[in-house]
Amino acid sequence: MIEFLEYNKSRPRIDIRLVSGILGGLIFFLGASLILPAIIALIYGEPSWSAFLITAAGSMILGAACFWAFRPQEELRMREAFLIVTLAWFIGSLVGAVPFVISGALESYTDAVFEAMSGLSTTGATILGGVTSDGIQNPAIEDLDNSLLFWRSLLHWLGGMGIIVLTLALLPLLGIGGMELYQAEYSGSTSDKLTPRIQETAFLLWTVYIGLTGAQFLMLWAHPSMDWFDAINHAFSTLATGGFSNLNDSVAGFDSVYVDVVIIVFMFLAGINFAMHFKLFSGDVNSFLKNREIRFYTVITLLFVIGVSGGLWLIDDQSFGDALRYGSFQVVSIVTTTGFGTDDYALWMPFTSFLLFILFFTGGCAGSTGGGIKMIRLMIIAKNIGREFKQIIHPQAVLPIRVGQRVIESSILKTILGFFMVYFLIFAVGALIMSFLGYDFMSAMGASIASLGNIGPAWGDFGPTDNFAGVPYFGKWVLLILMMIGRLELFTVLVIFTPWFWKN
């Protein structure tokens, strides 16, 4: 015990060398991933191949130098894990933005960082196709090189499961454990540890992720309206619940019921805990079907599909087929925080629009690639409200909150209630800043919740047919920080700004 205490006293509160070494490895990996869009550029004969190779070379050299200069020798601790997760997403966006600028596609580095963070955080908000606050005309989505469009979708796919989770499989090579990173990435959620070794867990989750991506890619490619490039971009964006499309009209540009249905199915699957997918594919169907969060997620989705589709049919005067098609697609797209579009919901009647607006405050299951509040938290809050009513009738009764057979401890309930309070406080602050910048009520609220919830398209000036190009540069940095905070479950980012994080 004495040796252990002396060992910890000899280490600083935060081992910057350790943090720098691991971040170097992450930068190297991100640089290596830039080779893929460079290959796409060469296939299509696009000049942007040089932008990707320059960025890749610079990132790999810098990353390798940091890793070898500060090669991790010590055990990773929780503070360092939180710092690494936050910096990884921020630095990843800074690096991911470089090809957009070097290739000449975007003149503003802020716009490029916005697009990269939107991709890596799986938000799907874009600045393409609009005019910036200082009069710069950004190119339309379809005017961009295919390699740059592929890079946007690849950022989605990498961010979907999380660069950190992928790295867990490599941590044995660094000589350190990985559980701290896994906990930091999914703080406050119910992530399942499938195997005793976290590296094996990461490998299994990525196996499921790649398998589902491949299945959707083949199903989309089979349709004549899509070539292989369309299919791979939309498969990446769907499984990551991101929403970037390589068409200006998003999924609506294919005008295919088959494509809509395939994407609906895989968006819904992407909103489910990937640990439960592994159990299902391993033959443990019973655990999958009995999972309370999946049941809650399914019921909420079905209720809103019925409500929105019914509203489009009875109030918006759409045919029953169109109402079901567009209503179900938009409900699943928003509840999973994907953000794909097949119809302009901003033009719907108030009843159907309001139902969809409610879904901006939901999200997929914990352990999925979706953002938002998450279904498990909503379910526990609903159970707590029910318990309060029962407590009024039976004030002396002991009424625990249960999810299945598990009793939810009071400490977990306090954490969830705290999450709700912080979530809505950050949302309010974001909306207040956007209103200060001159946006109307719905535009300000929509931009804030769409960024914090990683949804992408919003309301008002930022509806499904609009973009974020005209937001002043300060506003863009606010929104992209909201994207990062929302993707990393709030506390992972916010904790590093507290004085307790830096004290003993």
Side-chain angles (χ1 to χ4, degrees):
M1 176 64 72
I2 295 175
E3 292 179 356
F4 175 79
L5 291 175
E6 290 177 350
Y7 167 74
N8 277 277
K9 286 181 180 179
S10 66
R11 293 185 64 184
R13 285 190 289 269
I14 298 176
D15 192 338
I16 299 300
R17 292 178 62 87
L18 174 64
V19 172
S20 300
I22 295 178
L23 286 175
L26 293 171
I27 294 171
F28 179 88
F29 166 75
L30 187 62
S33 67
L34 282 157
I35 296 174
L36 292 176
I39 295 173
I40 297 295
L42 291 172
I43 291 174
Y44 284 98
E46 297 168 345
S48 53
W49 65 268
S50 59
F52 287 108
L53 289 184
I54 290 171
T55 311
S59 301
M60 293 172 72
I61 292 171
L62 177 62
C66 285
F67 175 74
W68 287 109
F70 308 109
R71 182 161 183 160
Q73 302 293 330
E74 308 290 352
E75 185 69 25
L76 187 67
R77 297 171 299 183
M78 185 57 74
R79 293 191 205 201
E80 289 136 358
F82 281 117
L83 192 59
I84 288 169
V85 169
T86 301
L87 290 178
W89 285 86
F90 188 69
I91 294 173
S93 298
L94 297 181
V95 174
V98 174
F100 291 104
V101 177
I102 294 181
S103 66
L106 295 175
E107 294 184 36
S108 166
Y109 183 64
T110 292
D111 279 10
V113 176
F114 184 96
E115 198 75 6
M117 178 64 81
S118 183
L120 201 57
S121 64
T122 72
T123 303
T126 185
I127 46 77
L128 295 177
V131 180
T132 65
S133 58
D134 54 357
I136 299 173
Q137 174 66 60
N138 288 332
I141 293 174
E142 292 178 23
D143 292 335
L144 224 58
D145 285 352
N146 286 327
S147 53
L148 291 168
L149 294 174
F150 180 83
W151 177 232
R152 293 166 79 235
S153 300
L154 183 60
L155 283 171
H156 264 346
W157 195 74
L158 294 174
M161 184 60 72
I163 294 176
I164 303 299
V165 177
L166 177 64
T167 308
L168 292 177
L170 305 178
L171 285 180
L173 301 177
L174 309 182
I176 59 177
M179 193 60 203
E180 292 85 354
L181 282 178
Y182 188 74
Q183 290 172 338
E185 169 97 5
Y186 293 104
S187 62
S189 71
T190 56
S191 50
D192 290 324
K193 201 178 175 190
L194 305 178
T195 68
R197 298 183 60 187
I198 191 62
Q199 292 80 17
E200 295 178 20
T201 300
F203 176 77
L204 293 175
L205 293 177
W206 272 95
T207 300
V208 173
Y209 192 52
I210 292 170
L212 288 173
T213 304
Q216 188 189 3
F217 164 69
L218 293 174
M219 292 180 70
L220 291 176
W221 193 15
H223 195 268
S225 68
M226 281 197 172
D227 59 21
W228 73 271
F229 186 77
D230 295 324
I232 194 65
N233 274 277
H234 287 84
F236 279 171
S237 295
T238 302
L239 265 297
T241 62
F244 274 156
S245 173
N246 56 313
L247 297 185
N248 292 325
D249 294 331
S250 189
V251 179
F254 298 103
D255 193 23
S256 166
V257 175
Y258 172 84
V259 170
D260 290 358
V261 171
V262 170
I263 292 179
I264 287 172
V265 170
F266 280 92
M267 283 193 297
F268 184 81
L269 292 176
I272 295 175
N273 187 335
F274 274 78
M276 298 310 300
H277 283 308
F278 175 78
K279 290 183 178 181
L280 176 64
F281 298 146
S282 299
D284 191 0
V285 179
N286 200 39
S287 294
F288 185 90
L289 296 178
K290 287 187 175 181
N291 184 274
R292 301 297 174 131
E293 186 183 20
I294 295 176
R295 290 182 179 183
F296 186 75
Y297 167 63
T298 303
V299 169
I300 293 296
T301 303
L302 287 176
L303 287 176
F304 275 87
V305 165
I306 293 170
V308 172
S309 299
L312 291 175
W313 180 36
L314 299 174
I315 301 175
D316 290 58
D317 292 326
Q318 292 191 14
S319 68
F320 178 79
D322 284 347
L324 182 61
R325 173 186 175 184
Y326 299 125
S328 57
F329 189 97
Q330 290 305 146
V331 165
V332 177
S333 178
I334 299 301
V335 78
T336 60
T337 72
T338 306
F340 276 139
T342 54
D343 198 14
D344 187 356
Y345 56 75
L347 301 178
W348 293 354
M349 297 296 286
F351 174 77
T352 44
S353 294
F354 184 71
L355 283 178
L356 208 62
F357 181 72
I358 294 173
L359 291 177
F360 275 65
F361 297 89
T362 56
C365 299
S368 71
T369 56
I373 293 174
K374 300 293 193 306
M375 287 294 170
I376 187 65
R377 294 191 181 101
L378 294 172
M379 181 171 62
I380 292 174
I381 289 296
K383 285 179 175 289
N384 184 59
I385 293 172
R387 182 183 67 170
E388 292 302 317
F389 282 114
K390 292 179 183 178
Q391 202 77 64
I392 293 173
I393 305 300
H394 305 286
Q396 303 301 320
V398 177
L399 303 171
I401 297 176
R402 297 179 183 272
V403 175
Q405 300 300 316
R406 180 184 178 185
V407 175
I408 302 301
E409 299 175 4
S410 59
S411 59
I412 296 177
L413 181 59
K414 289 179 181 177
T415 301
I416 292 174
L417 291 173
F419 181 93
F420 265 80
M421 293 178 64
V422 174
Y423 193 91
F424 282 97
L425 177 61
I426 295 173
F427 157 64
V429 170
L432 186 64
I433 292 174
M434 293 302 292
S435 63
F436 175 78
L437 294 175
Y439 290 98
D440 62 78
F441 182 73
M442 283 305 297
S443 298
M445 286 210 310
S448 181
I449 190 58
S451 299
L452 183 62
N454 305 130
I455 297 166
W459 297 88
D461 293 339
F462 310 109
T465 60
D466 300 298
N467 56 70
F468 290 77
V471 177
Y473 290 121
F474 171 73
K476 287 174 181 173
W477 282 100
V478 169
L479 293 180
L480 68 86
I481 289 173
L482 288 180
M483 295 177 198
M484 184 175 69
I485 292 174
R487 177 63 182 88
L488 297 179
E489 301 276 314
L490 306 190
F491 296 131
T492 304
V493 178
L494 298 180
V495 70
I496 68 175
F497 295 101
T498 64
W500 307 286
F501 182 82
W502 303 98
K503 293 180 180 180
N504 282 329

